[in-house]
Amino acid sequence: MTTLRSMLFLLMSVPITAVFGVLVPLGGLFGVRVACAFARAYTQVMLKWVEWSLAITYEVQGWENVPAGPVILMAKHQSAWETLFMEAKFPAQCWIVKKELLWLPFVGWGLIAIRCIAIDRSTGSSAREQIVEQGAQRLKDGLWVSIFPEGTRVAPGKVGRYGIGGALLATRTGTPILPMAHNAGEYWGRYAFKKHAGRVKVVIGPPIRTEGRDVVSVNNEVQQWIEARMREISTERYAEA
């Protein structure tokens, strides 16, 4: 059943992505907000398709912590599921992504249209300054900025190195950070074809104040909060099992 569900999901997700891979860039011709609206619609459709085809549902704790104004959204990265969730459920946002993603058909075109910040991580400080310069402008324009601080997908139970790019942007601009933890990787593995039915637990934390603080302490607080919630989510799941 898991294999059949995964095949069905892939069979329909390709044409859905292709259609919106054209609509999002076309929307960008009329402004970033239109492109973001199409991107949001795409992820809403995909999130519903994930639920129908893969039987992967979700529950969210902490909606009351989501502020009205722009923030920097920093989340655990385990799979592709959370990218769909974040784009579908939070306000218009731009993403900090690896520049290689821009070469992907459809997906890359959409990322360009929503004015993502594409960086070359090998450039170190240059990439961080790019995040600060472009991210500050996106925030000024009223967009959220979303980033996975570990930079790449990590397996459940593992912790990657938390880069300081997002925290640097936050401290330089005085923008709060909204942290998010989840266990999507337990059902949708890193680059895995087979996805397993289950209920993803998402926890959204209170915004972390950054104004007047140093980047290291902010980054450490983000990591400590996210990883503590990850341990709690894992403990709760196995206690239920």
Side-chain angles (χ1 to χ4, degrees):
M1 180 60 77
T2 297
T3 300
L4 288 176
R5 284 182 179 276
S6 299
M7 290 178 64
L8 178 62
F9 167 75
L10 182 62
L11 190 65
M12 280 302 296
S13 64
V14 171
I16 293 172
T17 300
V19 169
F20 279 96
V22 174
L23 288 177
V24 175
L26 285 178
L29 298 176
F30 301 94
V32 66
R33 293 286 178 176
V34 178
C36 285
F38 276 122
R40 183 181 178 89
Y42 163 66
T43 52
Q44 289 173 336
V45 170
M46 285 294 292
L47 205 58
K48 183 57 68 173
W49 179 236
V50 167
E51 183 177 341
W52 287 344
S53 62
L54 299 173
I56 296 177
T57 59
Y58 59 90
E59 60 179 290
V60 183
Q61 175 185 329
W63 277 126
E64 69 278 5
N65 293 321
V66 179
V71 293
I72 298 167
L73 178 58
M74 296 178 69
K76 191 71 177 178
H77 196 19
Q78 292 186 335
S79 72
W81 183 90
E82 59 269 19
T83 63
L84 298 175
F85 175 84
M86 290 160 66
E87 185 68 36
K89 298 299 181 179
F90 293 105
Q93 60 201 270
C94 81
W95 292 77
I96 300 174
V97 301
K98 298 178 291 186
K99 69 175 185 178
E100 296 92 327
L101 293 180
L102 301 187
W103 295 99
L104 294 176
F106 304 116
V107 173
W109 308 338
L111 289 172
I112 293 171
I114 64 172
R115 296 174 62 194
C116 75
I117 302 171
I119 62 170
D120 180 353
R121 290 183 297 176
S122 67
T123 60
S125 60
S126 177
R128 290 192 290 270
E129 289 303 321
Q130 180 185 354
I131 290 172
V132 171
E133 181 181 353
Q134 296 185 32
Q137 184 59 54
R138 303 295 191 273
L139 291 167
K140 185 177 180 181
D141 292 341
L143 296 175
W144 284 35
V145 175
S146 296
I147 182 171
F148 297 119
E150 290 164 291
T152 190
R153 302 175 209 188
V154 295
K158 303 295 183 182
V159 181
R161 185 184 68 84
Y162 276 58
I164 67 169
L168 187 63
L169 170 61
T171 54
R172 291 273 188 92
T173 60
T175 305
I177 292 172
L178 190 69
M180 189 185 96
H182 63 87
N183 64 336
E186 295 180 5
Y187 308 102
W188 183 327
R190 185 175 183 259
Y191 306 120
F193 166 71
K194 287 186 178 181
K195 286 87 173 171
H196 302 275
R199 191 168 184 84
V200 177
K201 176 70 176 289
V202 178
V203 183
I204 303 168
I208 294 173
R209 183 186 64 82
T210 66
E211 190 172 7
R213 298 180 58 188
D214 69 276
V215 65
V216 174
S217 68
V218 168
N219 205 47
N220 286 341
E221 183 174 347
V222 171
Q223 178 173 349
Q224 290 166 8
W225 188 92
I226 290 177
E227 296 305 327
R229 300 296 83 71
M230 293 302 298
R231 291 189 293 272
E232 290 174 1
I233 292 171
S234 179
T235 300
E236 289 172 2
R237 178 170 181 258
Y238 288 107
E240 292 172 357

